[in-house]
Amino acid sequence: MSKTAVYQVEVTFGDCDPTGLVMAHNFSRWMDAASHNFFIQCGVPAFRELERTRGIAGHPLLGIHTKYFQPATDGDHLDIHTNIIEWREKVFIHKHVVMRGGEVLCESTETRAFVIRPLESPDRIKAIPVPEDIKALCS
Amino acid sequence: MSKTAVYQVEVTFGDCDPTGLVMAHNFSRWMDAASHNFFIQCGVPAFRELERTRGIAGHPLLGIHTKYFQPATDGDHLDIHTNIIEWREKVFIHKHVVMRGGEVLCESTETRAFVIRPLESPDRIKAIPVPEDIKALCS
Amino acid sequence: MSKTAVYQVEVTFGDCDPTGLVMAHNFSRWMDAASHNFFIQCGVPAFRELERTRGIAGHPLLGIHTKYFQPATDGDHLDIHTNIIEWREKVFIHKHVVMRGGEVLCESTETRAFVIRPLESPDRIKAIPVPEDIKALCS
Amino acid sequence: MSKTAVYQVEVTFGDCDPTGLVMAHNFSRWMDAASHNFFIQCGVPAFRELERTRGIAGHPLLGIHTKYFQPATDGDHLDIHTNIIEWREKVFIHKHVVMRGGEVLCESTETRAFVIRPLESPDRIKAIPVPEDIKALCS
């Protein structure tokens, strides 16, 4: 398990499609922001700092499973509750729960890995074992 | 089962994040476009036409499960192969396979429903049984 | 002139392109959100309410002029200061100033109009004279 | 003056806001893609290649002036005609004309510069004089 961070989103007109409801890819975008926020709240430096000091360039998605229960619309205030429900050797499992007040709008579980850019091919990425210090900061 | 449609994407610089690779939410966005393209290719009118004539306002996501196998980057030409692998009474299951040449980059299965806006609350949506004529056009 | 509203943005990793800096279209997106926030702060209802009660569906852009002075990056806290610098009969001129602390990152002037959907062609929009009550609320 | 390239966009449901019309920031996004396409069509390598070989990391916007004449909607086929109308020492002026068939929907003029990341501060960017060989390829 891990700490939990809450990331706030205020839905705006332009987040909504012709039905007047939030487009699903905006939830993906917000959960990605919620993941970055989670690590910052836990004391992990941002990736542009991590890349400079340790070569860790990001933590891309390997898989995501999302269930949508209720739609969101313009003006809604959302709270995304993010934690890590499992650490494996090279990946970790994020859980995001998107709430509007006491109501759960959607839930995701994500599989992510920390990656470096190998020296021999700097335009590729390669997963590394989860760094122990990052795991400790988040626990 | 259903017909299959192919939706083409040319990845651009602005689709990529600081790692130089495509951000995951862009895959969500493209799969949504691939879904709309699928129905158009099958002969189903666009939703702004369907809403005017039959009240069907969209086909929002109820769930999505995506696996990412390989990253994409600026300049890649992607083909998204989209079909419907299952029809249920009120929902259907989409499959999207994102290819770069012969290589599978990612795969999604999506659960979606056709929705109307109930007369009594036009800013809500409500799932309807899958219309038989739409199912026939896609088969 | 008008009241001024401040809209806050916390830049995240996914707002940045392969240079590590915010993509320009995200500033457009945030200024649009800042405009909606401005009217809400002034006491004007959201458009989904305005459309139901008065038929006013939105306030699309007719023109925009933006100057970028300094780039923004992941983790930056931005304040967008928004007001209306001129009211004409059918359009108004927005000014947005995007600040990071005391530094101006970019500035836009936008021309916008309030629009309705004409009964005879509900998938078109048509500019209306600026409603006096909205003007009064913003002044 | 310069060569002209045409970039094609097929508008999808998710590009449109609750009015059913394309959100302005999508035009910004497409014009950015049209700019990258312009250079590729002229024979200039993509930036991830240019950065590796010559340190040129991108060509960010310094300013943009856009006029919107007609809205676009789901299903529209757009052609963005892009050229360079002026070369200065350190910047160049792009012109984009967005057409739907024979109709001009919007027009932009953009000021952009090619940038490097200075060795002493790799998370900053710095404009360089327009490279003569890039100018020649585009003329």
Side-chain angles (χ1 to χ4, degrees), chain A residues 84-103:
Chain A
I84 290 174
I85 56 173
E86 189 183 343
W87 299 94
R88 298 187 194 151
E89 196 205 335
K90 282 204 169 180
V91 304
F92 60 93
I93 313 296
H94 249 329
K95 175 97 179 253
H96 303 286
V97 182
V98 183
M99 314 275 300
R100 180 179 52 204
E103 188 181 24

Side-chain angles (χ1 to χ4, degrees), chain A residues 17 19 21-24 68 71, chain B residues 32 35-36 47 56-63 90-92 110-116 125-127, chain D residues 13:
Chain A
D17 70 16
T19 61
L21 304 174
V22 170
M23 286 171 263
Y68 299 93
Chain B
D32 193 70
S35 174
H36 286 275
F47 284 105
I56 304 173
H59 66 332
L61 275 176
L62 304 182
K90 282 204 169 179
V91 303
F92 60 93
E110 295 179 340
T111 306
R112 289 176 179 262
F114 293 100
V115 296
I116 57 167
I125 52 172
K126 190 183 157 191
Chain D
F13 188 81

Side-chain angles (χ1 to χ4, degrees), chain B residues 79-95:
Chain B
D79 291 316
I80 306 181
H81 297 253
T82 296
N83 65 355
I84 290 175
I85 56 173
E86 189 184 343
W87 299 94
R88 298 188 194 150
E89 195 205 334
K90 282 204 169 179
V91 303
F92 60 93
I93 314 295
H94 249 328
K95 174 95 178 254

Side-chain angles (χ1 to χ4, degrees), chain B residues 48, chain C residues 123, chain D residues 11-12 16 20-22 71-78 100 105:
Chain B
R48 65 197 180 95
Chain C
D123 59 342
Chain D
V11 179
T12 187
C16 301
L21 303 174
V22 171
T73 190
D74 182 16
D76 284 351
H77 290 76
L78 310 182
R100 180 179 54 204
L105 300 193

Side-chain angles (χ1 to χ4, degrees), chain D residues 51-90:
Chain D
E51 180 158 31
R52 193 161 41 215
T53 56
R54 300 169 60 176
I56 304 174
H59 67 331
L61 275 176
L62 304 181
I64 182 168
H65 194 164
T66 307
K67 291 180 196 167
Y68 300 92
F69 303 111
Q70 291 291 337
T73 190
D74 182 16
D76 284 351
H77 290 76
L78 310 182
D79 291 315
I80 306 182
H81 296 253
T82 297
N83 67 355
I84 290 175
I85 56 174
E86 190 183 343
W87 299 95
R88 297 186 194 153
E89 198 204 334
K90 282 204 169 178

